[in-house]
Amino acid sequence: MAAAAAEMTLPDVQGAEEKTMRRSASMPTKKQLQSQAIRQRVRSSVDKYPGIKNATVHVSSKIDAFRDKDRQETKEYWANLRKFKDEVQSVFKLPPDTCASKEQVDKEIMEKVVKGQQALRDTDTAYQGWLKAMEERQQERIS
């Protein structure tokens, strides 16, 4: 009898063979009904939600707002920079020039040249003395 209850027979339709259908196929189960009810509740809740309906419009409006803010900040920056440059005076001043004439400049240059050449001569003399000392040591080793 359980097998007979599980299957339902369909009436004969214009000479067609008698067909049987399972109860699970003909009637939705309790689980299916629950999931369908949940889907309906979710859809009705989402329709009432005042959130974002169109993501592209939302993103483009955010981008436009950011661009406007960035342009405003850029304008403020350049305005403040121009104002700063116009108002502020330079504090740095060059020291007075010690060489007022061409003769003084030439004299100072010649003094530096003489000092440099003297330093080179002293270094050369010391180097030549060192070379002679090394040559003498080499001769002592050989002999």
Side-chain angles (χ1 to χ4, degrees):
M1 181 145 169
E7 292 184 6
M8 187 171 42
T9 59
L10 297 175
D12 191 19
V13 180
Q14 295 181 357
E17 299 177 15
E18 193 172 315
K19 296 181 181 178
T20 60
M21 185 184 332
R22 293 184 180 257
R23 175 170 270 180
S24 61
S26 66
M27 293 181 61
T29 64
K30 186 176 181 182
K31 192 96 169 162
Q32 289 173 338
L33 290 174
Q34 287 175 346
S35 64
Q36 186 178 10
I38 290 172
R39 269 190 246 115
Q40 287 294 336
R41 285 198 319 246
V42 168
R43 285 186 183 136
S44 65
S45 297
V46 169
D47 289 341
K48 294 176 188 174
Y49 177 67
I52 301 167
K53 298 294 182 188
N54 188 346
T56 307
V57 172
H58 177 70
V59 170
S60 64
S61 68
K62 290 268 194 179
I63 291 171
D64 292 341
F66 174 76
R67 284 184 184 152
D68 293 342
K69 181 182 173 192
D70 188 46
R71 285 186 192 121
Q72 183 63 30
E73 288 175 354
T74 303
K75 286 179 185 178
E76 289 174 7
Y77 169 78
W78 287 111
N80 288 338
L81 184 65
R82 277 188 230 104
K83 179 182 171 189
F84 176 75
K85 285 184 176 182
D86 291 341
E87 291 177 359
V88 174
Q89 296 297 322
S90 176
V91 177
F92 176 76
K93 293 186 180 178
L94 288 171
D97 193 10
T98 57
C99 302
S101 67
K102 176 103 171 114
E103 292 82 24
Q104 287 178 339
V105 172
D106 289 340
K107 183 180 175 184
E108 190 174 328
I109 290 173
M110 289 308 293
E111 288 173 1
K112 290 182 181 179
V113 167
V114 169
K115 285 181 185 177
Q117 286 176 345
Q118 183 62 40
L120 284 174
R121 276 193 293 259
D122 293 343
T123 306
D124 186 49
T125 306
Y127 180 67
Q128 292 300 327
W130 179 76
L131 281 178
K132 284 184 183 178
M134 290 301 286
E135 186 178 341
E136 288 173 4
R137 284 186 205 156
Q138 189 69 22
Q139 291 299 328
E140 287 175 6
R141 281 186 194 168
I142 293 175
S143 53

